[in-house]
């Protein structure tokens, strides 16, 4: 629950008519930084460092008719990892928008031949 909300009703009132983002990362400092940036830009943000807690929050908001507009998760955190979390979320809401935040190197798709080769060579 956001710090400015004291009860679930307060959180629901804050969330209404605002784009809602669920941020999950194993590092609390990272979730706080992301929340500060997103909140300053007008988003309603919930954060947690645990994938199981994240899924419970997701289901709670969904059942209240206030689904998250975007889920941003790390790949590794206590409880459900990021991949399992997104798979569970998509079973609840197949059109859910999501993204991953990770310290691990990734190769975004689509990629050019040169990008693939450079990515492999750098590792």
């Amino acid at each position: 629950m956001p710090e400015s909300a004291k009860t679930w009703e307060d959180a629901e009132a804050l969330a209404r008519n605002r784009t809602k983002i669920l941020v999950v990362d194993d590092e609390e400092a990272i979730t706080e930084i992301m929340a500060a940036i997103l909140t300053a830009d007008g988003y309603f943000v919930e954060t947690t460092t645990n994938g199981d807690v994240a899924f419970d929050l997701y289901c709670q908001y969904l059942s209240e008719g206030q689904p998250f507009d975007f889920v941003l998760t790390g790949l590794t955190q206590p409880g459900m990892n990021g991949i399992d979390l997104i798979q569970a979320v998509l079973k609840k809401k197949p059109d859910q928008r999501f993204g991953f935040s990770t310290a691990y190197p990734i190769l975004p798709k689509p990629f050019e031949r040169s990008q693939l080769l450079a990515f492999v060579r750098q590792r």
Side-chain angles (χ1 to χ4, degrees), residues 1-6 32:
M1 184 173 319
E3 290 181 21
S4 58
K6 305 294 184 230
E32 290 172 358

Side-chain angles (χ1 to χ4, degrees), residues 6-55:
K6 305 294 184 230
T7 66
W8 171 248
E9 290 78 22
D10 291 343
E12 190 177 60
L14 285 170
R16 193 167 285 115
N17 299 322
R18 291 175 65 191
T19 300
K20 290 170 283 305
I21 300 176
L22 176 59
V23 173
V24 189
D25 194 276
D26 62 325
E27 295 182 56
E28 188 170 353
I30 298 295
T31 65
E32 290 172 358
I33 290 167
M34 286 195 264
I37 292 167
L38 294 166
T39 301
D41 207 49
Y43 294 99
F44 174 85
V45 180
E46 283 276 16
T47 65
T48 183
T49 57
N50 182 294
D52 294 334
V53 173
F55 187 65

Side-chain angles (χ1 to χ4, degrees), residues 22 24-25 34 70-77 81-87 90 97-104 106:
L22 176 59
V24 189
D25 194 276
M34 286 195 264
F70 193 81
V71 177
L72 179 59
T73 183
L75 292 177
T76 59
Q77 61 257 346
N81 67 42
I83 304 265
D84 291 342
L85 173 61
I86 294 304
Q87 287 175 339
L90 291 174
R97 293 176 49 237
F98 65 90
F100 294 103
S101 170
T102 181
Y104 300 107
I106 61 166

